[in-house]
């Protein structure tokens, strides 16, 4: 479901419609300000490391909320990570990592499973497949918080995604 509409529905049920619209207005202003600072030729890859596979949540219609926030903020993903139709998630093995050829790579470990404690992500970061990625070679790879990206919970999470954009994607 569209995260904004879902959030508005919850606000309506709670009787705080007016307050939520003010918060959305602040969010939209921030998105516009961030969008103006995004480098136009930069491409960003994002991958989730789980104990059993790699997951790429696509930039597509009705994308999972944090990836919709990326799009709204003007962050461009690679062709490999973009679809004009609803596909969902690409599930990759090690060889599939080669599709993650963005200038910057954000990665997520964990989120509703034992990814953060399984030890697999350490093995992934040490693997030759990981080390061959352009963003890794360039030293432009960053771990982002699974609670924000995988357990997305409305405006607070959306603003944390914007924080990550400002921290890792927008040049200082």
């Amino acid at each position: 479901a569209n995260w904004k509409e879902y959030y508005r529905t919850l606000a309506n049920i709670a009787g705080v419609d007016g307050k939520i619209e003010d918060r959305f207005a602040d969010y939209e202003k921030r998105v516009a300000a961030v969008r103006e600072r995004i480098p136009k030729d930069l491409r960003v890859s994002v991958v989730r490391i789980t104990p059993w596979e790699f997951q790429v949540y696509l930039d597509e219609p009705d994308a999972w909320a944090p990836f919709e926030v990326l799009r709204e903020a003007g962050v461009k993903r690679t062709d490999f990570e973009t679809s004009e139709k609803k596909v969902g998630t690409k599930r990759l093995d090690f060889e599939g990592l080669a599709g993650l050829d963005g200038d910057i790579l954000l990665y997520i470990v964990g989120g509703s499973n034992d990814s953060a404690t399984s030890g697999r992500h350490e093995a992934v970061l040490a693997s030759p497949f990981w080390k061959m990625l352009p963003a890794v070679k360039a030293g432009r790879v960053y771990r982002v918080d699974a609670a924000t990206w995988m357990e997305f919970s409305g405006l607070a999470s959306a603003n944390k995604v914007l924080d990550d954009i400002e921290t890792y994607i927008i040049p200082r």
Side-chain angles (χ1 to χ4, degrees):
N2 178 295
W3 74 270
K4 292 178 187 175
E5 291 308 313
Y6 179 75
Y7 209 58
R8 284 184 170 104
T9 299
L10 293 178
N12 181 281
I13 292 167
V16 292
D17 304 54
K19 291 178 184 175
I20 200 67
E21 289 309 320
D22 290 344
R23 291 187 63 208
F24 269 118
D26 291 342
Y27 167 78
E28 295 299 335
K29 285 178 195 171
R30 185 173 181 206
V31 166
V34 167
R35 189 181 314 114
E36 289 178 10
R37 298 176 9 232
I38 294 289
K40 302 302 179 218
D41 59 343
L42 187 77
R43 297 291 178 262
V44 176
S45 289
V46 186
V47 65
R48 178 183 182 206
I49 300 171
T50 73
W52 57 91
E53 68 186 357
F54 303 102
Q55 299 171 349
V56 175
Y57 293 78
L58 299 179
D59 179 2
E60 63 183 7
D62 299 320
W64 172 236
F67 303 98
E68 182 179 324
V69 173
L70 284 179
R71 184 178 345 103
E72 288 177 348
V75 174
K76 302 289 186 227
R77 306 275 301 281
T78 66
D79 290 343
F80 179 75
E81 300 167 81
T82 304
S83 176
E84 295 299 318
K85 60 183 181 176
K86 182 74 173 160
V87 175
T89 306
K90 286 186 178 180
R91 299 178 185 287
L92 310 175
D93 56 14
F94 270 98
E95 291 82 7
L97 290 176
L100 302 174
D101 60 352
D103 303 299
I104 293 174
L105 174 62
L106 304 178
Y107 71 97
I108 304 155
V109 177
S112 69
N113 61 46
D114 68 348
S115 300
T117 58
S118 72
R120 181 168 187 256
H121 73 278
E122 289 96 348
V124 169
L125 300 183
S127 81
F129 290 106
W130 184 262
K131 291 179 179 179
M132 73 172 185
L133 298 176
V136 175
K137 286 181 182 178
R140 298 183 78 187
V141 56
Y142 310 100
R143 182 175 175 174
V144 293
D145 184 44
T148 298
W149 289 77
M150 299 315 304
E151 300 164 22
F152 191 90
S153 58
L155 281 165
S157 292
N159 276 295
K160 288 180 182 179
V161 170
L162 293 175
D163 291 345
D164 286 343
I165 292 169
E166 290 180 317
T167 300
Y168 303 122
I169 297 173
I170 295 175
R172 297 178 187 252

